[in-house]
C-alpha cells in the first residue's frame, strides 16, 4: 500500500494498493487495482463529502435491529 497525501488539497491525494478494494474473490472490486499498481499510476482518494458523493459506487446503510421483545 502506498499513499501520497496532498495536504494543500486532500482530494488530490492518491494511493496504490493490490490486488483491489475487496477481500471477496467474487466481487468486481477484488482485483480492480492490479493494473494501476503494476503501472505505478496512483488512484484518486476522495476526502471531502462532495468528492466522496461524486465518486462513490454504492452506499451501505446500517441500522440497529429493533428490540422485538417489546
Amino acid at each position: 500500500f502506498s499513499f501520497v497525501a496532498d495536504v494543500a488539497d486532500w482530494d488530490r491525494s492518491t494511493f496504490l494498493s493490490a490486488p483491489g478494494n475487496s477481500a471477496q474473490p467474487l466481487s468486481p472490486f477484488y482485483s480492480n487495482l492490479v493494473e494501476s499498481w503494476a503501472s505505478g499510476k496512483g488512484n484518486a482518494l476522495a476526502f471531502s463529502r462532495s468528492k466522496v458523493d461524486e465518486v462513490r459506487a454504492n452506499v451501505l446503510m446500517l441500522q440497529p435491529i429493533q428490540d422485538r421483545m417489546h
Side-chain angles (χ1 to χ4, degrees), residues 58-62:
N58 298 293
V59 175
L60 174 64
M61 300 291 288
L62 301 176

Side-chain angles (χ1 to χ4, degrees), residues 10-30:
W10 286 100
D11 286 329
R12 292 188 339 180
S13 299
T14 60
F15 75 98
L16 287 171
S17 181
N21 282 335
S22 172
Q24 303 298 324
L26 298 179
S27 168
F29 302 109
Y30 181 71

Side-chain angles (χ1 to χ4, degrees), residues 2 14 18 27-28 33-36 43 49 54 65-66 68:
S2 171
T14 60
S27 168
L33 301 177
V34 170
E35 289 181 28
S36 61
N43 301 285
R49 170 57 58 196
E54 177 186 325
I65 298 174
Q66 299 296 321
R68 295 189 178 132

Side-chain angles (χ1 to χ4, degrees), residues 1-2 11 16 31-32 47 50 54 57 61 67-69:
F1 184 83
S2 171
D11 286 329
L16 287 171
S31 61
N32 64 322
F47 278 89
S50 60
E54 177 186 325
M61 300 291 288
D67 184 359
R68 295 189 178 132
M69 299 297 289

